[in-house]
Amino acid sequence: MIPKKIDFETASAIKSMLQKLKINDTRVIIDFEKQTVEVDEEENYSIDDLLEAAGSLSPERGHELLDEVRRSREEWNS
């Protein structure tokens, strides 16, 4: 991905809009096609961030994750 430089006023306006969505990370990727905002992977996530992100999972992926958790619990209990 090639970074594009934007002016200070534009950066400030985007930052203000993201802050209204409670996104305060210093590095984000905005995907207009998927209508998502991704934060830099090196950031530390709070439990609220993780729970909010869980809402963006597809139902199929949610079921896959639940199955993985169930299998892991079965392994721990054996």
Side-chain angles (χ1 to χ4, degrees), residues 13-38:
I14 293 170
K15 184 177 178 181
S16 177
M17 285 186 273
L18 291 173
Q19 285 175 335
K20 289 178 184 176
L21 297 171
K22 298 180 182 172
I23 300 171
N24 297 306
D25 302 278
T26 57
R27 296 179 55 116
V28 298
I29 298 172
I30 300 172
D31 185 326
F32 291 109
E33 185 177 323
K34 295 179 183 176
Q35 296 181 341
T36 60
V37 176
E38 297 177 34

Side-chain angles (χ1 to χ4, degrees), residues 4-63:
K4 303 284 184 181
K5 185 75 175 167
I6 58 176
D7 61 85
F8 177 79
E9 290 81 17
T10 303
S12 295
I14 293 170
K15 184 177 178 181
S16 177
M17 285 186 273
L18 291 173
Q19 285 175 335
K20 289 178 184 176
L21 297 171
K22 298 180 182 172
I23 300 171
N24 297 306
D25 302 278
T26 57
R27 296 179 55 116
V28 298
I29 298 172
I30 300 172
D31 185 326
F32 291 109
E33 185 177 323
K34 295 179 183 176
Q35 296 181 341
T36 60
V37 176
E38 297 177 34
V39 299
D40 190 350
E41 293 177 6
E42 296 179 14
E43 296 282 334
N44 292 327
Y45 299 106
S46 71
I47 188 68
D48 291 335
D49 294 334
L50 296 173
L51 290 172
E52 185 175 329
S56 64
L57 294 175
S58 69
E60 294 82 17
R61 183 63 182 141
H63 290 296

